[in-house]
Amino acid sequence: MRAATVGPDGARMRWVEIAGEEPARVYVHGLGATSAAYFVPAATRPGLAGHRSLLVDLLGFGLSDRPATFGYTLEDHAAALAATLDVAGVRGADVVAHSMGGAVAIVLAHRRPDLVGRLVLVEANLDPNPPTTAGSSGVTRYAESDFLVGGYAETLDRVGPLWAATMRLADPVGLHRTAVGLVAGTRPTMRHLLERLPMPRTYVQGGRSGPVTGAAGLSAAGVRVVTVPGAGHNVMLDAPEEFTAVVAAALATT
């Protein structure tokens, strides 16, 4: 485990690092998750193993600190991630990011394209105001004060044991404020930012999640859209072999 001081009051962002060849691969988790738990099974499989890999936990989640004065917007998370990668000496990385982490990765690639050589998004949030069934909507249905009093415990019960296992490691304030930032999105939207990015981009969807919204527009903008049959939102856990193959192919593009 390694760390970089990147947040207010000396807050440290931490990551698990696996040694290997450059370019580095940076894995970014979704809302209420941690990167190692979601990505190690794929990152260490033949096809992806052998590269320097950083499994990063965003501020407020997993192994990283929980600064009370951090903003927890998508832009705030992207800035802290950029500072972490600067400390780690990363440039032109292959960034693989899931769900909320995908939205952060889009902002990162827009603001700091020197840090991102190729971008793989796994069911990333592209639009503000996601459906009421989305995890972020379930969190933001509570006011922050209500979430801290009882909503956090209710959410842990509602999301089931897999997600709750990592969500219980999240700072409740950071979780709620990040969800609020995710629902608000960015301006221009994450979708519009993604469509204009210069690096190779791939969007991965689980077949059980249904068709990708706006897939034709993404494809027209040069984003490769891939569906993994039989997988749900957590594609890397539901179908690790297929996910590894899809990501390996995406990271072979130039």
Side-chain angles (χ1 to χ4, degrees):
M1 186 178 67
R2 300 190 180 182
T5 301
V6 298
D9 303 321
R12 294 169 72 78
M13 185 178 289
R14 296 180 178 86
W15 67 94
V16 172
E17 182 162 337
I18 302 170
E21 298 178 359
E22 299 284 349
R25 289 176 177 167
V26 176
Y27 295 87
V28 188
H29 61 83
L31 185 71
T34 67
S35 286
Y38 278 73
F39 284 114
V40 160
T44 56
R45 291 179 68 90
L48 289 180
H51 276 255
R52 181 188 181 197
S53 298
L54 292 78
L55 298 109
V56 181
D57 285 349
L58 299 173
L59 288 175
F61 299 94
L63 300 170
S64 291
D65 285 350
R66 307 172 171 200
T69 55
F70 187 65
Y72 291 104
T73 66
L74 296 176
E75 293 86 355
D76 290 332
H77 280 301
L81 179 56
T84 297
L85 298 182
D86 283 337
V87 171
V90 169
R91 288 292 183 275
D94 298 329
V95 177
V96 182
H98 180 226
S99 197
M100 176 275 293
V104 172
I106 291 169
V107 178
L108 173 74
H110 169 68
R111 291 186 165 192
R112 292 288 306 275
D114 59 307
L115 296 177
V116 183
R118 288 171 289 205
L119 183 61
V120 179
L121 302 170
V122 188
E123 295 219 358
N125 296 73
L126 299 183
D127 304 300
N129 302 310
T132 56
T133 54
S136 54
S137 297
V139 172
T140 58
R141 74 183 189 183
Y142 301 93
E144 182 176 305
S145 58
D146 294 333
F147 186 74
L148 299 181
V149 171
Y152 178 52
E154 291 174 1
T155 300
L156 291 177
D157 288 339
R158 186 175 64 252
V159 299
L162 176 63
W163 197 6
T166 57
M167 189 181 287
R168 66 187 178 85
L169 304 176
D171 172 38
V173 172
L175 175 63
H176 188 273
R177 292 181 182 177
T178 298
V180 169
L182 184 59
V183 169
T186 59
R187 295 182 182 177
T189 66
M190 295 85 78
R191 181 182 298 274
H192 287 126
L193 294 178
L194 173 62
E195 290 174 346
R196 290 160 176 75
L197 290 176
M199 68 284 297
R201 296 145 294 157
T202 300
Y203 191 96
V204 182
Q205 179 92 340
R208 298 204 311 267
S209 299
V212 177
T213 302
L218 294 174
S219 296
V223 180
R224 182 171 174 249
V225 179
V226 182
T227 298
V228 177
H233 183 62
N234 297 321
V235 185
M236 69 292 290
L237 300 179
D238 295 339
E241 184 174 352
E242 294 84 353
F243 175 78
T244 298
V246 166
V247 174
L251 299 185
T253 60
T254 59

